[in-house]
Amino acid sequence: MNKQTILRIAKYVSICLLTLFIAAIMLGGGLFLYYVSKAPALSESKLVATTSSKIYDNKDELIADLGSERRVNAQANEIPTELVNAIVSIEDHRFFNHRGVDTIRILGATLRNLRGGGDFRGLQP
């Protein structure tokens, strides 16, 4: 095989790999759009966690609180601002700027994973 034949084969293999990559991206995007279109609408009532079962007597007095977890749902305005700030400062201090998807940390973790030689750590600070 001469050099021109090898270059021609490399060119066709490269084109095939690029085509497969683009097709995979389009297929993944289409699948994502399909699932997004079929997802149910979110509402505040659907996001409320279940509480424990409470049993009352005929005088509306609580006689039993059943369940392994004793939960009481709180409204957003009942949560102290200091608690919100404390949790956000520990978890993600830029949360109020990106509202859930921090592209800076995702790109940083991707670069760290690529440079680390297979030490995949996720989105650690």
Side-chain angles (χ1 to χ4, degrees):
M1 263 202 242
N2 61 16
K3 187 176 178 182
Q4 258 187 341
T5 307
I6 293 172
L7 287 176
R8 185 177 294 143
I9 291 172
K11 180 174 120 178
Y12 288 129
V13 168
S14 301
I15 290 172
C16 287
L17 289 175
L18 183 62
T19 303
L20 286 174
F21 178 73
I22 292 171
I25 295 291
M26 292 178 68
L27 182 67
L31 189 63
F32 174 77
L33 291 175
Y34 170 76
Y35 282 123
V36 165
S37 69
K38 297 294 182 186
L42 291 179
S43 67
E44 189 76 28
S45 63
K46 291 181 181 178
L47 297 175
V48 174
T50 59
T51 58
S52 59
S53 299
K54 295 175 176 49
I55 300 175
Y56 295 90
D57 65 6
N58 59 354
K59 297 174 188 165
D60 277 342
E61 294 180 16
L62 182 66
I63 59 174
D65 189 356
L66 306 175
S68 61
E69 296 180 3
R70 306 285 191 264
R71 294 183 181 178
V72 176
N73 291 324
Q75 299 296 320
N77 61 358
E78 297 173 339
I79 301 172
T81 306
E82 293 83 12
L83 177 61
V84 172
N85 291 336
I87 292 171
V88 168
S89 70
I90 292 169
E91 293 295 327
D92 184 2
H93 64 279
R94 289 192 310 265
F95 176 76
F96 291 113
N97 296 328
H98 61 72
R99 299 304 251 173
V101 179
D102 191 355
T103 54
I104 294 171
R105 288 191 67 189
I106 291 171
L107 292 174
T110 302
L111 289 174
R112 191 173 340 157
N113 287 339
L114 292 174
R115 281 183 293 171
D119 183 21
F120 295 103
R121 292 183 252 179
L123 297 176
Q124 293 179 352

